[in-house]
Amino acid sequence: MAFTVERIAVLKDNYVFVLYDQQAAAVVDPAVAPPVLDFLRQRDLKLTAIFNTHHHGDHVGGNQALLQQFPQAQVYGSRQDQGRIPGQTVCLDDGDAVDFGGEQGRVYFVPGHTRGHIAYYFPGSGHLFCGDTLFAGGCGRLFEGTAAQLLASLDQFAQLPPETLVWCAHEYTLNNLKFALSVEKDNLELQARFDQTQRARQQGRATIPTTSGLERATNPFLRVDQPSLQTTQTQDRVQVFTQLRTLKDHF
């Protein structure tokens, strides 16, 4: 039986994701604990796993409070984040497997935003939990890694099936698409997506999850090979990506 994903909006623009089946639950990047605990109580679920993508406080801030209530829960994170993720019990490397709800997930090592960032992909149900590496219409800032690293990380996601559900950790979509239009204004699919996103946000609706296929068609950071995003100065993929990331940083 496949698990269900519940999206919980917290803080200013974060999303926490709860995976659950009939008996157990796992949580991805719990920024804060109370809404997660409320959800678990309402459904009489036992928390068995915390999946952290990276060490930033708005992704691990709820770990300790959750462990106080569910001390047997395993805390998963990157091996490179050991000592930076509260309560971490399992250190993961690229290609490792995790299990939940009778399904096996694959760990992707996706540095760039941070040096130890990982993502969790469940091919059976088509869910990708990508933290702050990939956003709907955008990508994470470069805090601890290089542009070449982040581009290589995004390239891994671009290979996933187009119907893959991409669960990004922040509601940044509208601003990301405004930037995307500023660099690729003639992309008709992007124009349509921006209009749909604007209506959704006006109505208070979330834009997450997105899909891998939609990102490849409209997200400039997955489209550095497109002539429309290259310049007369360079067609080098890393240079194009670096220029886009710099422009977005000052957008």
Side-chain angles (χ1 to χ4, degrees):
M1 176 181 170
F3 57 77
T4 300
V5 181
E6 176 77 8
R7 178 190 60 237
I8 302 176
V10 301
L11 304 179
K12 180 183 177 183
D13 50 33
N14 277 73
Y15 288 126
V16 176
F17 305 114
V18 181
L19 291 53
Y20 66 100
D21 56 20
Q22 291 182 329
Q23 287 123 359
V27 61
V28 180
D29 286 346
V32 292
V36 178
L37 291 170
D38 288 344
F39 181 84
L40 298 174
R41 277 193 292 266
Q42 289 167 10
R43 287 159 180 78
D44 194 24
L45 294 168
K46 177 184 178 182
L47 185 70
T48 60
I50 298 173
F51 294 124
N52 291 124
T53 61
H54 63 296
H55 73 282
H56 284 164
D58 62 336
H59 293 256
V60 303
N63 280 20
Q64 295 288 25
L66 290 172
L67 289 172
Q68 288 177 7
Q69 298 297 319
F70 299 96
Q72 302 306 312
Q74 296 296 308
V75 180
Y76 296 80
S78 170
R79 185 174 304 280
Q80 295 203 31
D81 274 339
Q82 191 172 13
R84 305 204 293 179
I85 291 180
Q88 184 174 356
T89 57
V90 182
C91 296
L92 298 168
D93 296 304
D94 185 63
D96 282 348
V98 296
D99 294 286
F100 180 76
E103 187 175 345
Q104 188 171 88
R106 182 197 189 282
V107 175
Y108 281 88
F109 180 54
V110 286
H113 179 66
T114 65
R115 71 171 188 261
H117 205 300
I118 58 175
Y120 302 86
Y121 173 53
F122 291 86
S125 52
H127 295 291
L128 172 68
F129 300 94
C130 57
D132 286 358
T133 297
L134 173 64
F135 292 129
C139 70
R141 288 179 178 265
L142 293 165
F143 287 127
E144 297 178 354
T146 67
Q149 284 179 317
L150 186 53
L151 177 57
S153 296
L154 294 173
D155 284 344
Q156 296 184 72
F157 296 156
Q159 302 305 311
L160 297 177
E163 65 274 11
T164 300
L165 291 173
V166 181
W167 299 90
C168 315
H170 290 273
E171 183 59 69
Y172 292 162
T173 313
L174 188 59
N175 186 63
N176 285 342
L177 295 181
K178 288 178 181 176
F179 170 75
L181 280 172
S182 77
V183 295
E184 201 180 15
K185 64 181 185 304
D186 295 327
N187 183 328
L188 296 180
E189 194 164 350
L190 173 58
Q191 294 172 13
R193 184 185 184 189
F194 177 78
D195 291 340
Q196 293 166 359
T197 299
Q198 199 166 38
R199 287 195 296 273
R201 295 307 295 154
Q202 287 171 350
Q203 296 167 7
R205 291 186 283 118
T207 63
I208 305 302
T210 177
T211 67
S212 178
L214 182 58
E215 294 311 310
R216 289 203 297 268
T218 59
N219 186 329
F221 296 100
L222 269 63
R223 295 173 56 77
V224 295
D225 294 316
Q226 296 297 315
S228 56
L229 287 167
Q230 297 173 347
T231 67
T232 55
Q233 287 77 33
T234 182
Q235 295 180 342
D236 178 84
R237 300 180 80 247
V238 175
Q239 290 182 19
V240 172
F241 183 88
T242 301
Q243 291 173 353
L244 287 170
R245 188 59 258 180
T246 301
L247 287 171
K248 180 63 171 67
D249 287 345
H250 297 94
F251 183 71

